Amino acid sequence: MELVNKKLSHDEFYSIRKSILKQWPTGQAVDFEEAVRYQLNIPKEKQFSEKLIQAKKSGRTLIQPRAGVALIDKHIELLNYLVDHGEADLLPTTIDSYTRHNRYKEAEIGIEESRLAGRSLLNGFPAVNHGVIACRQVTEAVSAPVQVRHGTPDARLLTEIAIAGGFTSYEGGGVSYNIPYAKKNSLEKTIYDWQYTDRLVGIYEEHGVSINREPFGPLTGTLVPPCISNAVAVIESLLAAEQGVKNITVGYGQCGNLRQDVAAVRSLEQLTEEYLKEKGYDDIIVTTVLHQWMGGFPQDESKAFGVISWGAAAAALAGATKVIVKTPHEAMGVPTKEANASGLLTTKQLVTMLRDQVMPLTKELLDEINIIKMETRAIVNKIFELGNGDIAKGTVAGFQAGVIDIPFAPSKYNKGKVLPARDNEGAVRILECGSLPFNKELKDYHREKIEQRAKIERRKVSFQMVIDDIYAIGKGRLVGRPR
Amino acid sequence: MELVNKKLSHDEFYSIRKSILKQWPTGQAVDFEEAVRYQLNIPKEKQFSEKLIQAKKSGRTLIQPRAGVALIDKHIELLNYLVDHGEADLLPTTIDSYTRHNRYKEAEIGIEESRLAGRSLLNGFPAVNHGVIACRQVTEAVSAPVQVRHGTPDARLLTEIAIAGGFTSYEGGGVSYNIPYAKKNSLEKTIYDWQYTDRLVGIYEEHGVSINREPFGPLTGTLVPPCISNAVAVIESLLAAEQGVKNITVGYGQCGNLRQDVAAVRSLEQLTEEYLKEKGYDDIIVTTVLHQWMGGFPQDESKAFGVISWGAAAAALAGATKVIVKTPHEAMGVPTKEANASGLLTTKQLVTMLRDQVMPLTKELLDEINIIKMETRAIVNKIFELGNGDIAKGTVAGFQAGVIDIPFAPSKYNKGKVLPARDNEGAVRILECGSLPFNKELKDYHREKIEQRAKIERRKVSFQMVIDDIYAIGKGRLVGRPR
Amino acid sequence: MNIKTIIIGVIGADVHAVGNKILAFAFEEAGFKVVNLGVMVDQDEFIGAAIETNADAIIVSSLYGHGELDCRGLKEKCIEAGLEDVLLYAGGNLVVGKAPFEETQRKFLDMGFNRVYPPGTDPFTGIADIKKDLGVS
Amino acid sequence: MNIKTIIIGVIGADVHAVGNKILAFAFEEAGFKVVNLGVMVDQDEFIGAAIETNADAIIVSSLYGHGELDCRGLKEKCIEAGLEDVLLYAGGNLVVGKAPFEETQRKFLDMGFNRVYPPGTDPFTGIADIKKDLGVS
Ligand code: B12
Ligand code: B12
């Protein structure tokens, strides 16, 4: 295997496919031709791509929860509850952590134990173990489009089963489902494996079935500067496009400063479209998703509602196509269906109430957008350079060189030198730029912003600020001021 | 009695006072000299005026609930709960509706029945019936400053008892506690009666005790255009200042369009300060309060949390000195203490999280501020004109002429010709200007804004829009679009 | 034609005027002759107006929480005044606090009301019921 | 001087790295020798590291909900490996869902853990306890 950003050849794809479908017995049930027919029969209002296009056209922000439990009937019950009592527009199927690490045997034990215990001992739905038919039971039992959400470095078998199982959207990417979600998985390998996923989606496209693809925007969810998540989104969009993907949703995890959040979403959409066009992918539909604050939540449920609402407001004011919703149980554990529905309803109230308000493009907003674009371009262009024009190679080299570096990520393929901290208005800036390919002007900008805060707090810029910021929202603040 | 905006003379005040204190037996227990000594001993952190000044200086937004039940011990328990479990910065004592209408006998029955039933059958705390000592029990039992909140056209006895009872802030005014809260009470009479309240506060000031006064900003709480509530706030501030009041909080009920809400609060503060200075009241401290949406709420509690959060965000972004908090029970009934605390906590999370973000003064915001100022000045100046320079006389004449006119108010002294409706972005505009003293430019502005919306909704401008807007937030929207 | 007359008003010391205005508008649109007493209406005013206009129904709103105290004895007074056949409806936020509606309903039915409505009931629900009860279509 | 050695890590297939980094930082600041195994640590790795460094305590974090499944048998393995005296602490979001903490605590104590902490416990609580348990000041 040599990693290049090039459409996988027919032979390469099908030779991999053979072994993939053997990884677990349920793989044998996947029949591509039959699956295409099946997908083509899914009604429009249950197709993810379609619903996103409609929402983008009409300027609506759709709402989507996270949810997944071990057993099929319970999972169906859960999803239906979220539509009926939570007014969810789009549905998820969150996959459990064993499946994410291809530990299907442990997942099997988890299913068994969940049956015995009468409650889910898994933190998600083990789709591979359940197989194609069970997935179809799920997607057929509900009235909204369903997406697979996970965090799986090697998701090839899961993709095969999920799409044949009637899911119409698929989250993840070779970077975004590796660096924040794994410790030792080689980046080269995960990018390569995700080319498979993207190619499979591309082949479905060639057969008239449009599956929505969503790179995972928030990464570690914790103080990730917009330029870093935007860069990953652009990279994964380019990788997906090369394999034939046509409907892409790029994402961003809310940071909390309204202006920065709006700027992040707008620049994300614009940059993705721009790079796709520039590289010759002309017919791709790009939509956006904002994830409500992805870092540590307050334990108190009422306070959690405040954080949820602020995410809903940011999504609406930014004009994101959809928003992924947190719940009042976030700090405590996987939510009950009731808690999940209540997070949805709070969000629904706000996105519909704020539907007619857009944040005007003021000078301040434009400045913020331009900064994010400058930074993101610096990163992405450097990566192209390192890859001699090949974004796949460049990404591997880029992580190695630290020109892209995701804060707090567990992967050993991540440099881990970049440290973010909030400025005095709560926007996430970069305290330690590591090897990010920023010019002096950009570096000074970040430094000054954080110095400004330090001065007001009468302390030196230090790692303690980062720690304080990690805890801040959980403790009711945005900026982690000294006590 | 001839109503003029002039400090009540010593003789006039004390002759009224004599009869007031006889209105109900508890009046006899009021001893001014002793009350001054008592008030002077209240520690700083429990003085409303003081705490507001601190908050204004440090740019914080304080949070305050509404709360009141029939029985003393239950009321104390409630207030302590709201501090301990709701993190309230400021406390209220909401007075019941019988007391508001001076129906002390009915209030007495309500107290009795509440004792028997073991739950409050009154919708507030009947402070007059309970008397000075009981009020002191309340204000002493809690750690935060306490304000009397009510809606009483003739509040003279209540004021006497409340201030002697250790309350350090007092809401209301001759306009704001008449027109939205009464049907037949003469405006001349209520303004006159509130001069008594203001004069009493002024006399306390002269004895070194600063009692905070707060005109009731939201009026009918339902689509009140900012210029109308701002005009009432300016009028009542001028009336209060003339009687010697020194610490004033002007208020505004959130309408829901962020830009308009921020503009309303900023213009409110600036205009009040400007008029006070212009009329020679130089030493008055003006702070602001934003009331979270005061109209019909959604019944679903999660949705209510969304509305509450949006109010909290508006207050923080506008830089209001305090915010009055709604609860998830709003649409259903007087909240339990738990529901009340949860509204507070949601609000606390947001005002502290957004503390470091201010809405920049963009051109759009400045335009909105200028429009509100122009409108408000038109109204207030016309009122001065009608009163031949006397704002008290002018106010009575102004309501009669309809140059000030509060939408949906029950009072027969209100013209009731003005009809508000939302524009296409949800800002409250004026569909029918009635006799508001607006020039053609202003009238056209409103008309155009609403026409714009009508066009998009493909219907004619009509009363149906008003109805749709009244229901909208309760149904999850801001603008009441046709179904 | 058979135009029915109804009295509407908000009882007691209650000043919530918005719903009352909409209610009046809705019943008029639905073809009723509406006598709207507005807010702060006491029992005697309701009865006086019903006698005077020969009304078919009295529709009492109460929002502010004292509905329970304010409505006691109204049915008895109606009977005394010879209005035993006049329909008596109540709606709004009838009691203090968020209470299970069944309890509230029971209370008001026991007080002699013909129909009782929970908070935020759409006027059209009431209109449909009253048409049925009065036999108009 | 008497420097104590502790092993810390996030067990199972769990990749929540943020708390782990802070925990390591806090224990180091408090004067411990910290061997941080990072995320995705299996039982054998914990035990191997404890033997190798002659550790005084093993501090297991689990955030992602599978803690219950992942921690079973760890104490037994420790005993087998001759580590019966090594303190065993657990903290994080140990089970799936928002459960009453008493239940979770009972479960983990029964599994042989010395101390168990609810979601979001401040590292300093753990540090204070371990100092007590290990007799350092
Ligand atoms: C950020 C985050 C993520 C990031 C993690 C990035 C990374 N690699 O680090 C991402 C987005 C990738 C992620 C993924 C997942 N997550 Co996650 N995540 C969170 C979140 C929001 C914050 C965690 C955090 O960083 N907190 C800040 C740090 C400082 O606090 P902490 O982690 O709690 O650690 C402190 C304490 O726990 C304590 N502590 C820990 N151990 C010990 C031990 C002792 C002895 C003591 C004294 C103290 C102590 O000290 C630490 C430092 O202060 C939490 C919810 C929350 N807390 O708000 C969910 C949460 C932990 N995640 C959850 C889940 C389910 C997942 C996923 C399975 C699915 C999903 N929802 O996508 C995947 C799992 C991936 C995997 N295989 O592990 C659940 C766990 C559910 C449960 N236990 O019932 C949570 C609780 C959210 C929820 N309510 O559903 N997540
Ligand atoms: C706006 C408002 C005010 C305004 C009223 C302005 C005015 N003069 O109209 C102001 C701010 C002045 C105010 C004051 C008070 N209010 Co108020 N107010 C509200 C609020 C937010 C909205 C009411 C409204 O206009 N809704 C919109 C209209 C269209 O709906 P509606 O009023 O419910 O009416 C509809 C239905 O009820 C139904 N309906 C009514 N009657 C009937 C009858 C039949 C037969 C049928 C079929 C249907 C029907 O049809 C109507 C039209 O659609 C409600 C809470 C809510 N609903 O969200 C509280 C609320 C009614 N108020 C309340 C209270 C306690 C007060 C105060 C005592 C204290 C205070 N908090 O300040 C004072 C009382 C003053 C007094 N003496 O009456 C409480 C009542 C509590 C309870 N019952 O347990 C509420 C529920 C808020 C709460 N949860 O605490 N209020």
Side-chain angles (χ1 to χ4, degrees), chain D residues 22-134:
Chain D
I22 294 189
L23 220 48
F25 185 79
F27 273 91
E28 262 163 25
E29 290 271 289
F32 290 88
K33 180 168 171 240
V34 175
V35 179
N36 186 5
L37 305 175
V39 303
M40 292 188 77
V41 180
D42 63 30
Q43 295 193 351
D44 295 338
E45 280 179 83
F46 275 110
I47 288 171
I51 294 175
E52 197 176 307
T53 63
N54 197 11
D56 302 286
I58 298 176
I59 298 192
V60 179
S61 297
S62 176
L63 283 307
Y64 73 153
H66 293 184
E68 204 177 333
L69 297 170
D70 294 333
C71 287
R72 285 201 197 140
L74 177 58
K75 182 67 189 182
E76 288 73 12
K77 274 200 184 158
C78 282
I79 294 172
E80 258 171 53
L83 301 174
E84 53 277 330
D85 294 334
V86 173
L87 287 176
L88 208 53
Y89 281 20
N93 299 61
L94 290 166
V95 295
V96 172
K98 181 172 182 169
F101 179 63
E102 294 63 40
E103 272 177 31
T104 308
Q105 192 174 31
R106 184 83 338 263
K107 255 180 215 153
F108 280 76
L109 290 177
D110 286 351
M111 282 196 247
F113 283 82
N114 299 82
R115 290 185 186 267
V116 189
Y117 298 89
T121 304
D122 192 306
F124 296 106
T125 311
I127 290 171
D129 287 342
I130 204 166
K131 283 188 170 171
K132 220 190 303 155
D133 290 356
L134 292 177

Side-chain angles (χ1 to χ4, degrees), chain A residues 321-342:
Chain A
T321 323
K322 70 173 186 176
V323 54
I324 304 276
V325 173
K326 289 268 173 171
T327 83
H329 283 185
E330 177 61 14
M332 303 308 285
V334 169
T336 58
K337 59 184 194 306
E338 292 81 8
N340 212 332
S342 66

Side-chain angles (χ1 to χ4, degrees), chain B residues 224-282:
Chain B
V224 178
C227 62
I228 293 179
S229 47
N230 281 5
V232 172
V234 168
I235 292 168
E236 293 194 350
S237 297
L238 290 169
L239 291 168
E242 174 61 25
Q243 302 300 327
V245 171
K246 301 288 181 203
N247 190 297
I248 297 178
T249 305
V250 280
Y252 165 72
Q254 182 197 22
C255 284
N257 173 288
L258 183 61
R259 191 196 315 146
Q260 184 177 46
D261 287 336
V262 173
V265 172
R266 302 239 175 118
S267 61
L268 173 61
E269 184 167 19
Q270 290 161 14
L271 281 173
T272 307
E273 284 178 344
E274 180 184 308
Y275 272 103
L276 285 170
K277 287 238 170 67
E278 191 188 309
K279 301 297 168 190
Y281 310 108
D282 283 325

Side-chain angles (χ1 to χ4, degrees), chain B residues 66 94-95 97 100-101 123 150 180-181 216 219-222 294-297 326 329-335 408 410 470-471, chain C residues 13-19 22-23 59-65 89-97 117 119-123 125-126:
Chain B
R66 292 187 180 81
T94 301
I95 305 299
S97 290
R100 294 170 182 219
H101 293 281
N123 59 11
H150 44 138
Y181 280 103
F216 177 63
L219 305 173
T220 52
T222 307
M294 288 291 288
F297 248 64
K326 289 267 174 173
H329 283 184
E330 178 62 15
M332 303 307 285
V334 169
F408 313 113
I470 288 172
Y471 284 129
Chain C
D14 193 336
V15 301
H16 288 90
V18 182
I22 295 190
L23 219 50
I59 297 193
V60 179
S61 296
S62 175
L63 284 306
Y64 73 152
Y89 281 21
N93 300 61
L94 290 167
V95 295
V96 173
Y117 298 89
T121 304
D122 192 307
T125 312

Side-chain angles (χ1 to χ4, degrees), chain C residues 5-9 28 33-38 49 53 55:
Chain C
T5 301
I6 61 162
I7 311 291
I8 78 167
E28 262 164 24
K33 176 164 176 247
V34 175
V35 180
N36 186 4
L37 305 175
T53 62

Side-chain angles (χ1 to χ4, degrees), chain C residues 106-117:
Chain C
R106 184 84 338 262
K107 254 180 217 154
F108 279 77
L109 291 177
D110 287 350
M111 282 197 249
F113 283 83
N114 299 83
R115 289 185 187 266
V116 189
Y117 298 89

Side-chain angles (χ1 to χ4, degrees), chain C residues 6-130:
Chain C
I6 61 162
I7 311 291
I8 78 167
V10 185
I11 199 165
D14 193 336
V15 301
H16 288 90
V18 182
N20 168 265
K21 287 184 184 176
I22 295 190
L23 219 50
F25 185 79
F27 274 91
E28 262 164 24
E29 291 272 288
F32 290 88
K33 176 164 176 247
V34 175
V35 180
N36 186 4
L37 305 175
V39 303
M40 291 188 78
V41 181
D42 63 29
Q43 296 193 352
D44 294 340
E45 281 179 80
F46 275 109
I47 288 170
I51 294 174
E52 197 176 305
T53 62
N54 197 10
D56 301 285
I58 298 176
I59 297 193
V60 179
S61 296
S62 175
L63 284 306
Y64 73 152
H66 293 183
E68 202 177 335
L69 296 170
D70 294 333
C71 287
R72 286 204 196 137
L74 177 58
K75 182 68 191 182
E76 288 73 12
K77 274 201 183 155
C78 283
I79 296 172
E80 257 170 55
L83 303 175
E84 54 277 330
D85 294 336
V86 174
L87 287 177
L88 208 52
Y89 281 21
N93 300 61
L94 290 167
V95 295
V96 173
K98 180 170 182 169
F101 179 64
E102 294 64 38
E103 273 177 31
T104 308
Q105 191 174 33
R106 184 84 338 262
K107 254 180 217 154
F108 279 77
L109 291 177
D110 287 350
M111 282 197 249
F113 283 83
N114 299 83
R115 289 185 187 266
V116 189
Y117 298 89
T121 304
D122 192 307
F124 296 105
T125 312
I127 291 171
D129 287 341
I130 205 166

Side-chain angles (χ1 to χ4, degrees), chain B residues 79-279:
Chain B
L79 295 189
N80 275 322
Y81 188 91
L82 298 177
V83 172
D84 297 342
H85 300 274
E87 303 180 15
D89 299 307
L90 301 168
L91 286 173
T93 286
T94 301
I95 305 299
D96 71 290
S97 290
Y98 291 136
T99 301
R100 294 170 182 219
H101 293 281
N102 313 104
R103 301 187 183 177
Y104 307 121
K105 280 192 199 123
E106 282 164 88
E108 200 67 36
I109 296 172
I111 296 175
E112 272 319 306
E113 299 235 1
S114 302
R115 274 206 189 104
L116 291 174
R119 66 185 175 91
S120 185
L121 284 156
L122 293 179
N123 59 11
F125 180 79
V128 168
N129 292 60
H130 285 317
V132 172
I133 299 299
C135 288
R136 289 188 183 175
Q137 282 172 12
V138 171
T139 54
E140 283 172 17
V142 299
S143 60
V146 199
Q147 177 186 45
V148 174
R149 304 188 65 84
H150 44 138
T152 312
D154 175 2
R156 293 171 296 176
L157 178 57
L158 180 62
T159 317
E160 288 279 5
I161 288 175
I163 303 183
F167 290 93
T168 54
S169 172
Y170 200 75
E171 198 196 33
V175 176
S176 63
Y177 270 9
N178 174 346
I179 308 297
Y181 280 103
K183 189 174 175 178
K184 296 175 187 169
N185 295 52
S186 126
L187 186 57
E188 211 163 342
K189 174 78 166 59
T190 55
I191 294 178
Y192 182 68
D193 291 345
W194 275 87
Q195 286 180 324
Y196 181 94
T197 286
D198 285 330
R199 185 67 203 112
L200 182 63
V201 171
I203 296 174
Y204 272 100
E205 276 283 356
E206 288 152 17
H207 287 74
V209 174
S210 181
I211 301 293
N212 168 253
R213 280 278 292 114
E214 178 184 336
F216 177 63
L219 305 173
T220 52
T222 307
L223 305 175
V224 178
C227 62
I228 293 179
S229 47
N230 281 5
V232 172
V234 168
I235 292 168
E236 293 194 350
S237 297
L238 290 169
L239 291 168
E242 174 61 25
Q243 302 300 327
V245 171
K246 301 288 181 203
N247 190 297
I248 297 178
T249 305
V250 280
Y252 165 72
Q254 182 197 22
C255 284
N257 173 288
L258 183 61
R259 191 196 315 146
Q260 184 177 46
D261 287 336
V262 173
V265 172
R266 302 239 175 118
S267 61
L268 173 61
E269 184 167 19
Q270 290 161 14
L271 281 173
T272 307
E273 284 178 344
E274 180 184 308
Y275 272 103
L276 285 170
K277 287 238 170 67
E278 191 188 309
K279 301 297 168 190

